[in-house]
Amino acid sequence: DNNTIDMPATVEPQAVLVIVDPFSSGRFLVDYALEKGSKLVCVKSSLQLAPYFLNSLIPEKYVEVIDHVDMETTIATLAKYTVKAVIAGSEPGVELADQLATELEMPTANAIEYSCARRDKFKMNERVREHGLRAVRQCECYTADDALTWVRSYNKYPVVVKPTCSLGTDGVFFCNNEAEVQAACDKTLGKVNPAGQVNERVVIQEYLCGQEWVVDTISYNGRHHLTDMWKYVKETHNGSKFVYMSTTPQPYDCLEREKLQNYVFGCITALGIRYGPTHCEVMWLPDEGPVLVEVNSRMHGALGPHIASLTKDHSQIDLTYDVYTSGDIFQEVCGKPWNLNRKAMWLNFVSPKDGVLKSSLEIDQIRSLPSYHTMMASVQPGQRLQKTVDLMSCPGFIILIHDDAEVIAKDIKTFRQLERTHLYNIEDDESVLSA
């Protein structure tokens, strides 16, 4: 019949996963999702994000990159896709990922009423306390005077002062007297943080003295699974008590696992987390057991999940993708113990010197260690090296991976010896002064 009109075939909208701020360890999730054949849309939560986040973005990996300005525009921009899930790729993206997932009525959206408590460290700990769990003693402060009033009644040092929405160790201060509390508030309040937001408040907290643990989890439909546990080693160097020496993955059958797991599952339930990964920092106090430092509603940052993927059958990378796309792997592994198939160690560089660096820290003697896997130096020749007093002044790290723990132990000794002898070559003081 010549009168029939050819109707254009309706084009199915493209199915995508939306990843908000796919930085830090989020890049491993991006690569895994692409390997699995998913199409991705990147949403940047703020135009004011720190350069170290923005510079790591590779736009070619996404069908579209959206600069989020307001909710209405972002939702309208996403309307041409079939959005399968919204995932926070790194810490700055947590709140916006929550909001988008709720607006788009995603089945994997977490309880929006606790979204703020998943980013705000004061609200987070209060929510954990309401849930009947031991939480840090603390006070929310808009001014230095608020903080001083609290510390006078608390009457114990040291105390911790940090932005309510802190990222990493940015703006975290350990204070031993009122003058240091005042200085910490002055340095933090009103400053723009790496997420591009102004610090309007700080939280002042008791100092938790104990062994620091990392507990990483994954959740699906309100059930939680422990993916990894890590132990931090901190030592006193260069006059600071807070020098992170190393981070080591812990075996599933370690003594503390059950208590840590039950406590952390309680915290993430209190915060309304039903889907997705969390990266929790917990202090184990000798007399009390676990007390929360913070819950981060995203994967373990930096190289954490990547190291886990090299040492175990599953990591937060494949499990995060799974819980947002099918939940099949989750159903299979939930609650089951896992094995560390290989031993790993994350070692931080600890510089004993201040000055302009003369030669690269990435030396062949490190690369030739039997367990060497990766190295990253954040200070290059010609740049200023600082004495290491915290994570921000740490000039780099190496990752060691091997089947044999003794090989790693030996390599650590060799590395620390290199640090003492000839790793840190700085220009002599006269040349620094005349520069």
Side-chain angles (χ1 to χ4, degrees), residues 338-396:
W338 30 258
N339 285 322
L340 287 176
N341 305 326
R342 309 193 76 196
K343 308 286 183 284
M345 171 74 85
W346 174 308
L347 274 190
N348 286 325
F349 286 53
V350 180
S351 161
K353 298 178 182 177
D354 254 321
V356 175
L357 189 64
K358 241 191 334 201
S359 55
S360 173
L361 298 177
E362 299 189 14
I363 58 174
D364 289 339
Q365 289 103 307
I366 297 175
R367 282 203 183 83
S368 60
L369 294 169
S371 64
Y372 171 81
H373 181 268
T374 321
M375 166 167 47
M376 220 160 143
S378 47
V379 181
Q380 305 307 323
Q383 295 180 331
R384 179 162 282 281
L385 180 76
Q386 296 174 289
K387 280 185 183 174
T388 305
V389 292
D390 56 13
L391 269 183
M392 294 314 234
S393 52
C394 162

Side-chain angles (χ1 to χ4, degrees), residues 235-293:
E235 291 178 7
T236 300
H237 288 272
N238 302 320
S240 166
K241 288 182 193 163
F242 311 107
V243 177
Y244 285 85
M245 304 299 288
S246 64
T247 310
T248 323
Q250 298 299 304
Y252 187 86
D253 56 10
C254 69
L255 287 172
E256 297 90 341
R257 179 195 55 83
E258 202 176 336
K259 266 194 172 168
L260 280 168
Q261 176 177 300
N262 292 342
Y263 177 79
V264 163
F265 285 4
C267 293
I268 60 184
T269 300
L271 292 167
I273 294 166
R274 302 189 61 213
Y275 284 94
T278 73
H279 167 63
C280 308
E281 290 167 18
V282 176
M283 200 63 84
W284 186 286
L285 306 190
D287 305 330
E288 299 187 69
V291 184
L292 185 69
V293 176

Side-chain angles (χ1 to χ4, degrees), residues 75-108:
I75 295 286
T77 311
L78 289 169
K80 59 181 169 288
Y81 302 107
T82 300
V83 177
K84 292 294 189 186
V86 181
I87 308 171
S90 59
E91 189 62 21
V94 166
E95 270 182 290
L96 180 56
D98 273 350
Q99 291 161 358
L100 285 171
T102 301
E103 286 284 328
L104 294 165
E105 300 181 353
M106 291 289 111
T108 49

